[in-house]
Amino acid sequence: MCRPALQPGGNPADRESKLGYAENLGSYWRGRYKLAPGKYATVRDADGDAIRFRSKAAAKKAADAEEAKLLAGTKKAPPERITFGAYVNRWYAAQDLAASTMQNYRRHIEEHLLPAFEDFAIADILSTDIAAWEKRERAVPYAATSVKTWRATLHLILADAVDEGLRDSNPATKRRGRGKRAGRSRNRGPEKAVTTALGILLLAERMALLSGRDDEFVGGVLKGYTGMRWGEIVGLETEFVRPMSIRVEWQLYELDTGELHRCPPKDDSYRDIDTPNFLAALVASHIARTKPKPCECHGLAYVFRGHGAANGSVSRPGAKLVDVARRAGVSTGTVSNVLNRPDAVAEPTRLKVLEAITDLGYVRNGGAGELAAHWRRSGFATWLFRPAAMGRYPGRGNQEEHPVPVVAEPWPGIPARGRGASKRSEACWVPIAPGLTPHGLRHTHKTLMREVGTPPKLMDERMGHEDGSVQSRYDHITPRMRQALMIALTGMWEEALDARRAMSPGSPVAALDALLRARG
């Protein structure tokens, strides 16, 4: 690219002792002044745009004035001109955070920030640009909580740019009292759905019927009666199952690459969760029956195994979505966007992903992989938890959402599988808890504890929360408090078993069938 010829005054290196100078750009002049040896800046207006002077004299005068201010210390050197795309690559490479946090930042940047701001100069991004972007994201529509999270990442990036002197202030900072008051309440996420003690039992039974084994029954009851996070359940190693408690020492966090990363629990919430006798016996019996062996990915024995697809798709050869992501150096979410919403992905990234798809011969929906050693969040929620809670399978491909077809006997019905399942079905399941998610069982556990008047300090301990208030510092947990909660949870469990037994004295799920018959 050719640089416009400088006017009399010579090369900038020959004017080290002079002030500003004028540069002829054909139809106008611009003022230039020295920042440092060999480095010059342009005279700009209050909005950051270069001023176009009609005469050489006016440009020279303005440049002299700017440099004089700089030398006198009454003016800061203008920030370095760098694009958001270039800066954010440098910023991301400098981070040294947990793998889960790095994954989330990468997803936010690639899928939501780069498509909007990649070519903007860091110094030119305005609060109005961010407000317009936020409005577009909400119109897609994305959840207000998600947009808030992406904006927080943008705020963090721009805050670091301010610290580096690339701009004077952070345009992503929201001023208090601005915006629609009604909008604040309207943008709140929906209330989390919860269920009852009987709901936990029925849900766990259905998940086991869908999977054809007891793992999901035991895992569902354990989650409902301890409030453990999903990653803590998946990452529960056999050595941390104690006679009277569960020790939360690690979690398995699923990255976009498909890797299950073994890391400390969220917010370092290491804890011992007291378990009622019925729950301790249920988990111990499960371990004795399944005899877990060390997995190939971590070399450790875990309480629960993954659920492999029954239709043989896991054995098909071919490249997977994660292989394309690894090849292109992006997240699986970005690959998915290229396939489903290409306009939401920056053009260079889209081309890079398409090249990887061509190189690997990836076939969409072709299926590939091997039996998983651990539950996968998406597969578990989509094909086990949601159908159990709602009584319906989600839509997939050309197939619309539809009821889970079941053979009526034995109660509550065995899911019909394979071709012609709908024709062979005799009934379908009614919803247990519409809108319930796996995380909703965590909310459910806390709700059950509130019902029986559990002290807040004990609830926080079980949930892995930390209350930093002064009042909390003077609260303490006693053995009697722990015992009272164990008695209350046991009472809820026995009432749920009796209510389930009233519906039918037995169950196709072996672990539950033994419990029901013991109540007879």
Side-chain angles (χ1 to χ4, degrees):
M1 180 175 179
C2 296
R3 179 185 178 90
L6 296 173
Q7 291 302 300
N11 189 288
D14 298 331
R15 298 192 306 277
E16 294 296 325
S17 62
K18 297 184 179 181
L19 296 177
Y21 69 97
E23 187 176 24
N24 187 353
L25 292 179
S27 61
Y28 66 92
W29 295 77
R30 70 175 181 178
R32 301 277 285 165
Y33 59 98
K34 187 173 70 174
L35 298 175
K39 189 173 183 181
Y40 288 79
T42 299
V43 178
R44 297 179 179 275
D45 60 20
D47 294 326
D49 296 325
I51 300 176
R52 299 187 175 194
F53 295 97
R54 293 184 178 181
S55 68
K56 173 183 176 182
K60 175 72 166 63
K61 182 178 180 180
D64 288 346
E66 292 298 302
E67 188 163 345
K69 291 177 187 177
L70 195 63
L71 294 173
T74 59
K75 175 184 176 65
K76 292 182 179 180
E80 176 189 350
R81 303 291 291 176
I82 179 174
T83 65
F84 179 83
Y87 177 74
V88 82
N89 282 330
R90 187 175 82 190
W91 179 88
Y92 184 84
Q95 305 306 304
D96 184 17
L97 303 167
S100 57
T101 305
M102 295 297 289
Q103 171 186 274
N104 288 336
Y105 282 163
R106 183 172 187 168
R107 187 186 296 125
H108 301 169
I109 291 166
E110 289 181 349
E111 298 177 16
H112 302 281
L113 301 182
L114 281 178
F117 301 108
E118 182 171 18
D119 296 327
F120 277 70
I122 281 283
D124 292 345
I125 298 176
L126 304 176
S127 58
T128 51
D129 298 322
I130 296 173
W133 160 78
E134 196 170 2
K135 185 176 181 179
R136 291 194 302 271
E137 293 289 276
R138 287 198 297 266
V140 168
Y142 288 118
T145 51
S146 298
V147 178
K148 183 178 179 180
T149 300
W150 305 329
R151 181 179 177 127
T153 301
L154 177 61
H155 183 279
L156 179 62
I157 294 167
L158 294 178
D160 285 348
V162 171
D163 290 342
E164 293 182 32
L166 298 179
R167 57 178 302 132
D168 295 329
S169 61
N170 190 337
T173 300
K174 279 195 171 181
R175 291 169 57 186
R176 291 180 179 271
R178 296 297 295 271
K180 299 178 182 177
R181 284 196 177 275
R184 292 197 188 114
S185 59
R186 186 170 61 244
N187 288 339
R188 283 178 11 189
E191 184 178 359
K192 185 68 71 172
V194 297
T195 188
T196 62
L198 177 59
I200 294 172
L201 180 60
L202 296 177
L203 180 68
E205 180 182 24
R206 284 187 182 181
M207 287 194 294
L209 291 171
L210 286 163
S211 69
R213 59 183 194 162
D214 288 353
D215 290 57
E216 284 68 29
F217 175 76
V218 178
V221 173
L222 179 64
K223 188 163 175 53
Y225 278 87
T226 62
M228 292 172 68
R229 298 181 178 94
W230 167 256
E232 295 168 351
I233 291 281
V234 177
L236 179 59
E237 300 165 27
T238 54
E239 68 167 296
F240 295 115
V241 176
R242 311 285 164 75
M244 304 280 294
S245 66
I246 297 290
R247 173 66 182 172
V248 177
E249 191 73 20
W250 298 97
Q251 67 166 325
L252 288 181
Y253 188 93
E254 188 172 350
L255 301 175
D256 281 346
T257 60
E259 175 191 359
L260 284 159
H261 181 64
R262 184 175 183 256
C263 56
K266 184 178 180 180
D267 300 327
D268 291 331
S269 52
Y270 304 99
R271 62 198 187 279
D272 291 300
I273 303 177
D274 300 323
T275 51
N277 289 337
F278 80 84
L279 186 57
L282 184 65
V283 176
S285 296
H286 172 75
I287 293 174
R289 182 175 63 255
T290 57
K291 298 179 176 59
K293 297 179 180 179
C295 65
E296 294 183 3
C297 43
H298 302 96
L300 300 167
Y302 289 89
V303 174
F304 301 109
R305 299 168 297 162
H307 176 243
N311 60 8
S313 65
V314 293
S315 63
R316 294 195 200 115
K320 298 178 288 184
L321 193 76
V322 65
D323 297 323
V324 175
R326 288 172 178 161
R327 176 84 170 206
V330 299
S331 68
T332 53
T334 299
V335 177
S336 179
N337 272 343
V338 169
L339 295 172
N340 299 297
R341 296 192 307 113
D343 292 339
V345 183
E347 184 64 10
T349 303
R350 189 181 72 84
L351 293 175
K352 187 165 55 175
V353 170
L354 292 177
E355 182 179 0
I357 288 174
T358 301
D359 291 345
L360 295 174
Y362 172 76
V363 178
R364 191 174 185 179
N365 298 326
E370 58 283 330
L371 289 173
H374 309 284
W375 279 320
R376 298 287 173 168
R377 179 183 293 272
S378 178
F380 181 91
T382 303
W383 302 113
L384 296 176
F385 193 92
R386 182 180 171 187
M390 297 293 295
R392 300 180 68 85
Y393 283 122
R396 185 178 186 183
N398 296 326
Q399 191 174 37
E400 297 181 353
E401 179 182 297
H402 60 283
V404 175
V406 298
V407 178
E409 295 294 335
W411 198 90
I414 306 295
R417 308 179 192 278
R419 291 185 178 180
S422 59
K423 294 180 180 179
R424 289 184 283 107
S425 67
E426 301 167 330
C428 59
W429 287 333
V430 298
I432 292 174
L436 188 69
T437 64
H439 189 70
L441 285 184
R442 185 165 158 81
H443 287 250
T444 295
H445 182 62
K446 187 163 186 178
T447 303
L448 296 180
M449 288 193 290
R450 283 190 179 279
E451 280 188 5
V452 298
T454 305
K457 186 81 171 183
L458 181 52
M459 287 195 291
D460 286 342
E461 179 190 82
R462 291 179 71 83
M463 302 298 290
H465 292 157
E466 183 174 351
D467 185 349
S469 67
V470 174
Q471 180 180 353
S472 176
R473 293 185 183 183
Y474 287 87
D475 280 344
H476 301 280
I477 302 170
T478 66
R480 185 173 294 180
M481 292 176 187
R482 297 184 187 279
Q483 184 181 17
L485 178 58
M486 295 301 100
I487 292 173
L489 292 177
T490 300
M492 291 180 180
W493 170 252
E494 292 177 347
E495 287 181 9
L497 278 177
D498 290 340
R500 168 62 182 82
R501 193 171 186 278
M503 298 173 185
S504 178
S507 172
V509 178
L512 177 56
D513 188 62
L515 292 168
L516 292 173
R517 299 195 183 284
R519 301 289 293 174

